[in-house]
């Protein structure tokens, strides 16, 4: 009787274990759907949500079946490149100054959200629900931003001096502009490449996407981010090139003529892309870039710890005679003056040549190698047009992300980390699908 009893207990425990596992996985999936919505609506909310998702993911990995599933879902090269990139700042810090010597090194851990996203978005239905959630979050944010614009129009339309009020919601100004430009590229890609077999439904989908696209375009223009204007040019040309080369001429003509139709408050700010010394926002970046390059020259192998960079930058700005200018237009917050406003120079200044190698490997070898292999337009078997639209959107958005990094340290800013992690999870899914 005892063996029979033990067998029954074993089976009951196994069933309970499976039930717990399924509940955990389902909870993780629903939180993952909430994740792209929260990206647009609450900075603190998304940070908290990322902790919950990671916690549930780690609990899920206690089950052997889940660990086996993750191995089949994740692409080895993307995972390895990401882990090397994430761990390298901690290793470098440990070798030079101590593991907590760089104040922003802990931000690299947020990149690990990639693994839960890959695990919970494990089939096509979940993928498209995730895409819809991203669209829903962006649309809600755009509508709220439009209300803010209408409410504060007079202040926006009449800037004083170099103070140009920016248009944004929930996120920091530049993060908002950068993420909205990525949403814009995905929207355009779906407008041009997506086709629904139901003609009536196709029309309604295109009308909805076009409406959100036009609202997004308006908000981006009204945001007055100089870098976003620059970062969108090449990606938009790429999308139009993939659809019809003739569209490129129309886009260039519309851009040139549209410039003269823009309000003076926008065109005045645009001129500072070239006349950067006349604009504190632009000139400060040049000064910070110069300090980062100089600090790298002094400590090229492992970069500098944060305290060391603070002392170096203060002395550097004094020698250059720009310390008063920085104090007046930016402030002298100790950590703030180490903000290089360039994700490449920021990483190099903090981690030196030792940090450049993982950075280049991950951003310019691993990710592009997977993006290049995506080519749903040329697959022998007929694929849903949504995958073609998603592919073009991913490629153009990644180009924009790299360009945006020239004036912001996106590798260390949580909203931008989460945005690229989502894009990587989608890339991972599409690459694995294409291999199958």
């Amino acid at each position: 009787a005892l063996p029979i009893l033990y067998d029954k207990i074993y089976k009951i425990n196994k069933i309970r274990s499976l039930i717990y596992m399924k509940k955990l996985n389902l909870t993780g999936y629903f939180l993952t759907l909430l994740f792209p919505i929260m990206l647009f609506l609450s900075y603190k909310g998304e940070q908290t949500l990322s902790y919950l998702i990671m916690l549930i993911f780690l609990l899920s990995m206690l089950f052997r079946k889940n660990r086996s599933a993750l191995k089949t879902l994740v692409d080895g090269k993307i995972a390895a490149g990401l882990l090397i990139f994430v761990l390298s700042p901690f290793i470098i810090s440990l070798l030079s100054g101590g593991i907590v010597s760089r104040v922003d090194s802990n931000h690299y851990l947020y990149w690990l959200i990639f693994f839960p996203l890959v695990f919970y978005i494990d089939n096509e239905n979940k993928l498209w629900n995730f895409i819809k959630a991203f669209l829903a979050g962006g649309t809600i944010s755009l509508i709220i931003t439009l209300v803010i614009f209408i409410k504060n129009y007079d202040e926006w339309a009449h800037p004083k001096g170099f103070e140009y009020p920016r248009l944004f919601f929930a996120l920091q100004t530049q993060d908002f502009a950068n993420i909205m430009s990525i949403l814009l590229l995905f929207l355009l890609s779906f407008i041009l490449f997506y086709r629904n077999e139901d003609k009536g439904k196709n029309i309604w989908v295109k009308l909805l996407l076009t409406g959100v696209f036009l609202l997004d375009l308006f908000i981006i223009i009204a945001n007055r981010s100089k870098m976003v204007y620059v970062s969108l040019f090449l990606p938009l040309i790429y999308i139009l090139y993939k659809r019809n080369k003739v569209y490129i001429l129309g886009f260039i003509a519309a851009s040139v003529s549209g410039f003269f139709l823009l309000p003076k408050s926008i065109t005045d700010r645009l001129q500072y892309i070239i006349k950067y010394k006349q604009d504190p926002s632009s000139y400060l970046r040049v000064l910070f870039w110069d300090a980062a390059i100089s600090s790298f020259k002094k400590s090229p192998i492992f970069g500098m710890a944060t305290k060391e960079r603070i002392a170096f930058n203060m002395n550097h700005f004094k020698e250059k005679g720009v310390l008063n200018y920085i104090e007046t237009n930016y402030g002298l917050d100790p950590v703030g003056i180490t903000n290089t406003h360039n994700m490449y120079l920021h990483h190099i200044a903090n981690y030196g040549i030792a940090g450049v190698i993982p950075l280049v490997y991950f951003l310019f070898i691993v990710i592009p190698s997977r993006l290049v292999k995506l080519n749903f337009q040329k697959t022998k078997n007929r694929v849903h047009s949504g995958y073609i639209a998603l592919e073009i959107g991913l490629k153009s958005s990644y180009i924009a992300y790299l360009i945006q990094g020239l004036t912001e340290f996106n590798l260390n800013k949580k909203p931008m980390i989460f945005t690229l992690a989502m894009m990587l999870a989608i890339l991972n899914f599409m690459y694995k699908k294409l291999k199958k």
Side-chain angles (χ1 to χ4, degrees):
L2 282 175
I4 295 173
L5 180 62
Y6 290 148
D7 185 58
K8 285 183 178 180
I9 293 172
Y10 172 76
K11 287 180 179 179
I12 291 171
N13 288 335
K14 190 172 182 180
I15 291 170
R16 284 178 178 172
S17 179
L18 286 172
I19 291 172
Y20 293 147
M21 184 185 77
K22 288 181 178 180
K23 285 183 177 179
L24 271 175
N25 292 353
L26 189 61
T27 303
Y29 167 63
F30 282 122
L31 291 178
T32 300
L33 284 186
L34 187 60
F35 193 60
I37 297 175
M38 197 62 69
L39 171 70
F40 293 96
L41 304 182
S42 172
Y43 179 86
K44 290 291 184 181
E46 188 182 45
Q47 180 177 290
T48 303
L49 188 57
S50 71
Y51 297 150
L52 288 174
I53 292 173
M54 283 299 300
L55 175 61
I56 292 173
F57 171 73
L58 292 173
L59 292 174
S60 298
M61 289 300 106
L62 295 175
F63 298 94
R64 184 185 300 173
K65 188 176 180 180
N66 281 343
R67 294 196 298 272
S68 299
L70 180 63
K71 289 179 182 178
T72 61
L73 290 169
V74 73
D75 175 64
K77 190 169 184 178
I78 295 178
L82 177 62
L83 288 173
I84 291 170
F85 173 68
V86 169
L87 293 176
S88 61
F90 296 97
I91 296 171
I92 293 168
S93 297
L94 190 63
L95 296 172
S96 174
I99 198 166
V100 294
S101 60
R102 275 77 167 172
V103 295
D104 58 1
S105 59
N106 63 311
H107 286 188
Y108 287 85
L109 292 175
Y110 287 101
W111 286 95
L112 298 178
I113 197 70
F114 164 78
F115 293 100
L117 294 179
V118 168
F119 178 70
Y120 293 121
I121 306 171
D122 60 351
N123 61 49
E124 293 189 22
N125 185 52
K126 291 179 180 179
L127 172 70
W128 292 112
N129 286 339
F130 187 76
I131 300 298
K132 290 173 185 175
F134 186 81
L135 175 62
T139 303
I140 294 169
S141 178
L142 286 170
I143 293 171
I144 294 172
T145 309
L146 179 62
V147 173
I148 294 172
F149 173 76
I150 295 171
K151 183 180 179 181
N152 301 325
Y153 174 75
D154 190 63
E155 181 184 353
W156 178 90
H158 303 96
K160 298 176 182 179
F162 292 104
E163 294 181 5
Y164 289 87
R166 302 282 294 278
L167 190 59
F168 63 98
F169 170 71
L171 301 169
Q172 291 182 359
T173 307
Q174 194 58 49
D175 293 344
F176 175 85
N178 288 342
I179 294 173
M180 283 304 176
S181 66
I182 287 173
L183 174 61
L184 183 86
L185 294 170
F186 275 105
L187 285 166
L188 181 60
S189 183
F190 272 86
I191 290 169
L192 294 178
F193 294 96
Y194 175 77
R195 295 288 181 274
N196 193 293
E197 293 181 358
D198 185 328
K199 291 184 179 180
K201 190 174 182 180
N202 186 62
I203 291 172
W204 282 109
V205 169
K206 291 298 181 70
L207 286 174
L208 172 64
L209 294 178
T210 302
V212 180
F213 173 83
L214 293 175
L215 176 57
D216 195 0
L217 180 62
F218 172 78
I219 295 297
I220 286 174
I221 292 173
N223 177 268
R224 292 192 282 219
S225 167
K226 301 187 293 294
M227 174 43 66
V228 165
Y229 300 150
V230 173
S231 69
L232 280 174
F233 190 74
L234 285 179
L236 286 172
I237 285 181
Y238 169 75
I239 293 175
L240 297 175
Y241 172 81
K242 297 296 289 185
R243 188 69 183 90
N244 191 324
K245 296 176 185 177
V246 177
Y247 291 174
I248 296 175
L249 295 175
F251 167 66
I252 294 174
S255 299
V256 173
S257 58
F259 175 82
F260 297 100
L261 298 175
L262 291 172
K264 190 173 184 296
S265 62
I266 293 178
T267 55
D268 283 351
R269 184 166 168 79
L270 277 172
Q271 67 178 321
Y272 297 130
I273 295 175
I274 298 173
K275 302 175 182 179
Y276 64 90
K277 286 191 175 182
Q278 298 179 17
D279 173 37
S281 174
S282 301
Y283 189 46
L284 281 168
R285 281 171 165 77
V286 175
L287 297 178
F288 291 138
W289 297 345
D290 177 62
I293 293 170
S294 298
S295 70
F296 168 70
K297 288 179 179 178
K298 184 176 181 181
S299 185
I301 306 301
F302 294 121
M304 290 185 181
T306 300
K307 287 184 179 180
E308 190 179 359
R309 280 198 67 207
I310 291 171
F312 177 87
N313 281 11
M314 288 292 289
N315 185 60
H316 178 81
F317 294 140
K318 284 179 183 177
E319 290 181 352
K320 293 287 183 176
V322 295
L323 187 63
N324 289 336
Y325 181 88
I326 292 173
E327 183 177 14
T328 302
N329 296 284
Y330 187 79
L332 292 179
D333 176 74
V335 177
I337 62 170
T338 64
N339 177 1
T340 308
H341 289 282
N342 180 304
M343 70 182 189
Y344 309 106
L345 290 177
H346 193 83
H347 197 78
I348 289 171
N350 279 349
Y351 305 107
I353 294 173
V356 171
I357 298 171
L359 174 74
V360 171
Y361 176 67
F362 180 54
L363 289 185
F364 296 99
I365 297 177
V366 172
I367 298 177
S369 72
R370 292 304 182 245
L371 284 171
V372 168
K373 289 182 180 179
L374 290 186
N375 203 336
F376 283 93
Q377 285 181 310
K378 293 184 178 180
T379 51
K380 292 180 181 179
N381 298 324
R382 186 171 177 270
V383 296
H384 195 284
S385 60
Y387 284 105
I388 297 173
L390 204 53
E391 174 196 328
I392 303 299
L394 271 176
K395 291 178 177 178
S396 59
S397 296
Y398 188 63
I399 295 170
Y401 191 95
L402 293 179
I403 297 172
Q404 290 167 1
L406 293 171
T407 58
E408 287 297 321
F409 61 125
N410 291 343
L411 298 176
N412 308 86
K413 302 181 80 174
K414 295 168 196 174
M416 299 310 299
I417 292 172
F418 293 147
T419 300
L420 187 54
M422 292 179 198
M423 290 165 59
L424 286 178
I426 296 170
L427 170 62
N428 181 93
F429 183 94
M430 294 179 69
Y431 179 74
K432 297 288 283 188
K433 177 180 174 62
L434 199 62
K435 283 183 70 177
K436 291 178 182 178

